[in-house]
Amino acid sequence: MDWSPIWISMKTAGISIVITFFLGILAAWLVVRMRDERMKSIVDGIFTLPLVLPPTVAGFFLLYLFGVKRPVGKFFVDYFSVKIAFSWVAAVIAAVTMSFPLMYRSARGAFEQVDEDLVAAARTLGMSEWTIFRRVLFANAAPGIVSGGVLAFARGLGEFGATAMIAGNIAGKTRTLPMAVYSEVAAGNMDRAYQYVVIIVIIAFLSVLAMNWAALRQAKKRR
């Protein structure tokens, strides 16, 4: 069995969750702080859009941006001699794009469940906004944030459509586990496809267990 798809998938999902985790929390915090409900709805819709779009459509937009003759892609080629499309970096971008809405919505929902009186009390005590975020908002929203992180990691690991569009299916370079399953089935190598499927299922199941464990641990702390 070729182990490169496993390594590429884990590397891609690992890097993407680090990026998604912080971007999702920041985006959720900014949206929660918005006072204009109309603008909040528009921004929320933009952030959530990749969740409801077909992955191939999201991949099409990414390819439009990062293609070698497209605005962002051409900029990187001309000034940094870096080709993003059909590279491993493109796989990371696809994973971040598709997993970001899960992290963002989980973090936003967790922030909105924090008692506003706690935030108001922290402000009356003279705490800075950063201290309020760290000691009040984040501390109380931790279970939801952790759950969102686990879901985002699993989503990035299982990304297929957007990855196929912008990163392709290059063996040893951009072929992730989902792409490997597709390739082996297309080639009629069902036994090898089963092996990759089993690995994906095990990783996904362990992710769910990790999410449940984190929730139980947080619940015990509150008691």
Side-chain angles (χ1 to χ4, degrees):
M1 182 175 67
D2 182 9
W3 292 90
S4 64
I6 302 172
W7 164 242
I8 293 171
S9 287
M10 296 304 295
K11 184 172 64 171
T12 301
I15 296 296
S16 68
I17 188 54
V18 172
I19 299 171
T20 303
F21 185 80
F22 290 105
L23 284 182
I25 291 175
L26 176 62
W29 184 53
L30 292 175
V31 170
V32 168
R33 285 166 54 86
M34 285 184 177
R35 294 292 177 261
D36 188 335
E37 292 298 327
R38 184 177 298 177
M39 181 59 66
K40 180 185 287 190
S41 297
I42 294 173
V43 174
D44 179 77
I46 294 172
F47 286 159
T48 309
L49 193 58
L51 186 64
V52 296
L53 281 177
T56 50
V57 175
F60 173 83
F61 284 118
L62 291 176
L63 187 61
Y64 183 84
L65 287 174
F66 293 101
V68 291
K69 295 184 179 180
R70 298 302 178 179
V72 180
K74 191 174 186 301
F75 172 81
F76 276 94
V77 171
D78 291 343
Y79 291 94
F80 301 101
S81 299
V82 175
K83 180 184 176 184
I84 295 179
F86 302 104
S87 67
W88 175 74
V89 174
V92 174
I93 292 173
V96 169
T97 301
M98 300 309 296
S99 62
F100 170 81
L102 288 173
M103 186 67 235
Y104 157 71
R105 294 204 67 84
S106 296
R108 180 184 171 184
F111 286 150
E112 290 177 338
Q113 289 179 5
V114 176
D115 191 345
E116 292 184 0
D117 291 338
L118 293 175
V119 178
R123 288 199 176 102
T124 59
L125 293 174
M127 290 186 180
S128 65
E129 290 299 317
W130 166 243
T131 303
I132 292 173
F133 170 78
R134 182 166 51 89
R135 294 188 176 180
V136 179
L137 276 176
F138 187 87
N140 287 276
I145 291 174
V146 171
S147 298
V150 174
L151 290 174
F153 173 80
R155 182 66 183 86
L157 185 70
E159 168 51 35
F160 177 82
T163 303
M165 291 292 291
I166 188 175
N169 185 17
I170 306 171
K173 187 176 180 181
T174 64
R175 180 173 292 175
T176 58
L177 278 169
M179 301 297 296
V181 172
Y182 174 82
S183 298
E184 298 301 340
V185 171
N189 300 324
M190 298 303 295
D191 290 339
R192 188 170 293 181
Y194 290 143
Q195 293 175 341
Y196 287 133
V197 167
V198 169
I199 292 171
I200 294 175
V201 171
I202 290 174
I203 295 174
F205 182 68
L206 290 176
S207 298
V208 174
L209 289 181
M211 181 175 63
N212 292 336
W213 176 80
L216 288 173
R217 186 177 179 183
Q218 191 67 24
K220 288 180 179 179
K221 285 184 178 180
R222 290 184 175 182
R223 292 174 188 172

